[in-house]
Amino acid sequence: MRVRKAVFPAAGWGTRFLPATKAQPKEMLPLVDKPIIQYAVEEAVAAGIEQVIIVTSSQKRAIEDHFDLSYELEHLLEEKGDIEMLRQVRGISDLAQVAYVRQKEQLGLGHAVLMAKDLIGHEPFAVILPDDVVIADRPCIGQLIHAYHQTHNSVVAVMNVPPADVGRYGIIASEPSVDPLDHGRLHRVTRIVEKPEVGSAPSNLAVIGRYVLTPKIFDKLEQTQGGAGGEIQLTDAIAALMEEQEVFGYEFEGTRYDAGTVMGWLKASVEIALARQDLGTEFRVYLQELQL
């Protein structure tokens, strides 16, 4: 079955970016001239996703407005004759079919995914965390979708992280896939541990914010007990899913930025700007002039 839908959890408070996020969602913070969440939605659309499901909360109306029509702005741009900017603005609302569901309580990533159950139905689906911005020649979620079609099982994106950072991620233990066509990137997950202590992690392969999941995950999420603060962890549900179905990890191609932290957001902003044809040369000259 084709992967047609993607869930974007976007209900968090964004406290790391206060006071900037006091009145606007962190997902709407700009990376150069596009909000963080637009990079994720464009990645999904480029991979063939047809329906975008954004899980929101109160104070997130700006996300809905961004992906909606803006008649007044479009009229203004048309009157000014700024056709290129008009095309870009209209393109945002035409990206995909977008639906919204509210997460009324902040009860963890697993709970946020569970909120989309009725909209997903009984089909495989993607989960994309907007904070994880992945710049790649092939859309990162598209790489996972391809791996899903190879394995017909859930696939999570993984990457090597420094040993000192394992406590920030879900870490997998795995066996290499026997498929000779995956270039060594596909791993059969044998265990997944949420934020292990340094020195006790089963590997340095960390799960980042891209998943393709079978609908069986919803059963596991409904059965998962809340941990600290009552939060339902997606990692725990994936571990339970592994008792019935295989789960694979895929070492994706591309560069990942953790735009959910201030330093990660700064790095992403600089490197994305440097890669832009219209900005890169002038910006690079400016940075060199700083003589850091």
Side-chain angles (χ1 to χ4, degrees):
M1 187 178 290
R2 222 161 48 84
V3 180
R4 303 183 306 115
K5 301 176 181 180
V7 177
F8 295 75
W13 285 104
T15 53
R16 288 172 175 167
F17 285 93
L18 286 170
T21 50
K22 179 176 180 288
Q24 72 167 332
K26 65 174 179 177
E27 295 82 9
M28 291 300 297
L29 294 174
L31 286 176
V32 189
D33 55 4
K34 286 193 296 190
I36 292 172
I37 195 170
Q38 187 174 332
Y39 288 87
V41 172
E42 288 177 348
E43 175 189 325
V45 171
I49 293 295
E50 298 171 4
Q51 184 176 18
V52 166
I53 301 166
I54 302 178
V55 182
T56 65
S57 61
S58 61
Q59 311 301 318
K60 298 280 183 168
R61 180 62 187 270
I63 297 175
E64 299 181 29
D65 290 343
H66 182 69
F67 290 105
D68 200 356
L69 290 170
S70 178
Y71 296 105
E72 297 84 355
L73 177 59
E74 291 182 15
H75 179 68
L76 174 65
L77 293 171
E78 195 165 14
E79 281 194 332
K80 290 175 59 179
D82 194 342
I83 303 305
E84 174 57 25
M85 185 55 66
L86 176 62
R87 183 190 64 80
Q88 291 185 39
V89 169
R90 281 183 176 165
I92 295 169
S93 58
D94 292 336
L95 274 172
Q97 177 188 352
V98 183
Y100 299 91
V101 60
R102 280 289 182 95
Q103 184 184 19
K104 296 178 182 179
E105 296 180 271
Q106 306 300 298
L107 295 178
L109 175 57
H111 183 259
V113 172
L114 185 57
M115 293 296 95
K117 177 182 177 180
D118 291 342
L119 291 175
I120 295 296
H122 300 285
E123 57 185 281
F125 64 101
V127 175
I128 300 178
L129 306 191
D131 287 356
D132 278 329
V133 177
V134 182
I135 305 299
D137 292 334
R138 291 191 300 146
C140 179
I141 198 63
Q143 297 174 45
L144 266 65
I145 290 171
H146 179 73
Y148 167 79
H149 288 307
Q150 285 182 288
T151 63
H152 304 289
N153 284 289
S154 297
V155 185
V156 300
V158 296
M159 61 179 284
N160 273 294
V161 298
D165 290 346
V166 294
R168 297 173 50 207
Y169 299 92
I171 303 293
I172 67 166
S174 64
E175 298 173 350
S177 164
V178 296
D179 190 335
L181 300 178
D182 68 31
H183 308 291
R185 293 183 177 275
L186 191 65
H187 304 259
R188 189 178 72 83
V189 180
T190 57
R191 187 159 62 99
I192 185 168
V193 183
E194 181 68 16
K195 298 179 179 177
E197 295 287 337
V198 175
S200 65
S203 75
N204 291 342
L205 281 175
V207 178
I208 67 113
R210 300 290 185 277
Y211 310 78
V212 175
L213 301 169
T214 64
K216 187 70 176 176
I217 194 70
F218 291 123
D219 294 340
K220 301 307 176 186
L221 287 168
E222 289 174 333
Q223 296 163 11
T224 299
Q225 297 295 317
E231 292 194 350
I232 297 172
Q233 299 296 339
L234 182 58
T235 301
D236 293 339
I238 292 173
L241 181 67
M242 287 167 53
E243 297 176 7
E244 297 184 28
Q245 299 177 350
E246 289 189 313
V247 173
F248 291 84
Y250 188 82
E251 288 188 72
F252 61 93
E253 301 175 61
T255 302
R256 174 254 185 178
Y257 302 96
D258 182 1
T261 67
V262 174
M263 184 55 65
W265 176 81
L266 287 169
K267 290 178 180 178
S269 298
V270 170
E271 295 186 28
I272 289 172
L274 287 171
R276 286 269 294 263
Q277 289 187 350
D278 58 336
L279 299 172
T281 300
E282 183 179 352
F283 189 42
R284 183 172 282 102
V285 170
Y286 164 73
L287 292 176
Q288 290 168 343
E289 289 174 346
L290 294 178
Q291 299 180 343
L292 301 175

